[in-house]
Every structure is written in structure tokens, then in C-alpha cells.
Amino acid sequence: MRTIVLIDGQNLYHLAKRAWASRRSARTIRYSWPSYDVAKLALSLTANSPGRHLVETRFYTGVPDSRHGPTQEYWHDFWVNKLSHLRRQGVNVYRGRVSAGGQEKGCDVSLAIDLIKATYESSYECAIIVSQDWDFGPAVKLAKRIAKSQNRSISIESAFPVGPGTLNGRGVPGTNWVTIDKATYDACFDHNDYRPRTR
């Protein structure tokens, strides 16, 4: 079963932080930044069910403008470095932007469009959306209608971290909900250091 994984990077980061980094300590510090390995996580989620094989991984994140202050400059450099690494791994990357007020722009729309496009092109039998964002619900509904018109059966999952700090255990409407536990997340830890060098 051909599987595509679409990862909402900022959503994953904030959900993991909320789930496991509620207390500031050496044991939880790894959850206070985007410490996940995208390629490992995509493979792990694909392997949750037998007969699936990963054919594509897509990653979406907003990147702050480096001109908006030292904090934004730090995270701009971090994400530029991480996204470059992902591209070298063969991950398809969408780089949106983060406004001066902290709002992410473009990522949700791009993920939804990619899901619909992949459905039209019959590129998968299973899609895994790594996010808990309900805004993807209409795109999931449309994807299922498209697949039905093609006489195809598809499965769409939404996967998201769940831990002691989780406030909401509901996934994207219309999908099968898959929780990412701490052990799974820890097994997909990214050991690369993307922090910018001191200027």
C-alpha cells in the first residue's frame, strides 16, 4: 500500500512540547524545540500497519524573518539549516513564512492542496497527516470524494503526540486518529545540531 506522509512541522513541535515539556528539566528539554527526525518519523508511522511502504514525505513549516529581531533571526537560521538537511534526504519541503506577530502563513493551504493533488493523481492508498489541525477536515472530505469518483479506496490518518500535558486528544475530522507516544517520538529524535553559529 503506497503511503505518503505530510508533516505540519510547527503543529508537531507545539504538540510535542505541550505533551511532554510541561516541566522544565533536563529530562524534558528535548521537547522544547523541534527535535524530531522527519525521515525517521515518517518511516515509523508508515510501519504502524503491515503492507504499507513509504513513497513520499512532505514537510511544511513557516520560517521567521531574520529582520524581526534576534529571536526570529535565531529560528530563521535554525529552520534554514534543518530544511536544507531535509532536502538532501529527499524530503519535499514547503517553506512558508512567519509574520512579525508570530502567525504562520501558507503552510496549511499548501498541505491541503498537496493532499488533493496527490489524490487526483492516484499517488497513494494511505495518507498520514501529522497534525491535529481541524482546518484540514474539508480537504480530507474532498480527497475521499475524489477517490470515490475514481473507484478507489483510500485511508487517511492524522497522527499527533499525546502525553501528560495534552489538552485535546482529537485528530483531524474524517481521519483515523493515531497517537504518537513518548517512546515513538524519542526513537525519532534528531541528533543533528541545526543551531546557527555565533555571528
Side-chain angles (χ1 to χ4, degrees), residues 95 129 131 139 143 165 186 190:
R95 174 179 164 175
I129 302 171
S131 180
D186 287 351
D190 189 346

Side-chain angles (χ1 to χ4, degrees), residues 144-157:
K144 289 182 174 181
R145 284 169 52 191
I146 293 167
K148 185 176 181 180
S149 73
Q150 298 170 331
N151 296 313
R152 292 196 308 119
S153 177
I154 61 171
S155 170
I156 304 179
E157 299 178 354

Side-chain angles (χ1 to χ4, degrees), residues 5-48:
V5 178
L6 306 99
I7 299 176
D8 181 347
Q10 293 292 337
N11 193 268
L12 174 58
Y13 156 52
H14 288 293
L15 291 174
K17 183 177 180 180
R18 187 177 298 133
W20 303 302
S22 55
R23 296 178 181 176
R24 199 76 169 171
S25 71
R27 289 187 305 169
T28 63
I29 192 68
R30 67 164 50 188
Y31 310 111
S32 64
W33 56 283
S35 58
Y36 48 79
D37 184 308
V38 170
K40 286 181 183 177
L41 183 61
L43 285 169
S44 176
L45 292 172
T46 300
N48 274 344

Side-chain angles (χ1 to χ4, degrees), residues 4-183:
I4 61 172
V5 178
L6 306 99
I7 299 176
D8 181 347
Q10 293 292 337
N11 193 268
L12 174 58
Y13 156 52
H14 288 293
L15 291 174
K17 183 177 180 180
R18 187 177 298 133
W20 303 302
S22 55
R23 296 178 181 176
R24 199 76 169 171
S25 71
R27 289 187 305 169
T28 63
I29 192 68
R30 67 164 50 188
Y31 310 111
S32 64
W33 56 283
S35 58
Y36 48 79
D37 184 308
V38 170
K40 286 181 183 177
L41 183 61
L43 285 169
S44 176
L45 292 172
T46 300
N48 274 344
S49 293
R52 300 197 305 203
H53 64 278
L54 182 64
V55 295
E56 185 178 29
T57 304
R58 304 190 73 89
F59 183 81
Y60 309 79
T61 189
V63 176
D65 191 321
S66 60
R67 298 170 296 180
H68 291 162
T71 299
Q72 288 82 354
E73 182 180 27
Y74 174 91
W75 285 111
H76 172 272
D77 292 351
F78 173 93
W79 280 113
V80 166
N81 291 337
K82 182 155 185 155
L83 295 182
S84 294
H85 175 73
L86 292 179
R87 289 188 184 99
R88 289 193 296 271
Q89 288 184 305
V91 174
N92 290 298
V93 170
Y94 175 82
R95 174 179 164 175
R97 63 185 181 87
V98 177
S99 69
Q103 294 293 104
E104 190 176 36
K105 302 293 183 181
C107 295
D108 288 0
V109 172
S110 293
L111 191 156
I113 290 172
D114 285 350
L115 176 66
I116 298 305
K117 183 174 182 288
T119 309
Y120 266 121
E121 295 174 351
S122 302
S123 300
Y124 69 92
E125 284 78 51
C126 176
I128 304 171
I129 302 171
V130 182
S131 180
Q132 207 177 15
D133 193 334
W134 280 33
D135 288 344
F136 295 129
V140 168
K141 186 176 181 179
L142 178 56
K144 289 182 174 181
R145 284 169 52 191
I146 293 167
K148 185 176 181 180
S149 73
Q150 298 170 331
N151 296 313
R152 292 196 308 119
S153 177
I154 61 171
S155 170
I156 304 179
E157 299 178 354
S158 57
F160 48 91
V162 171
T166 299
L167 300 177
N168 174 20
R170 297 175 64 84
V172 176
T175 66
N176 299 318
W177 303 344
V178 177
T179 58
I180 300 172
D181 60 21
K182 186 172 176 291

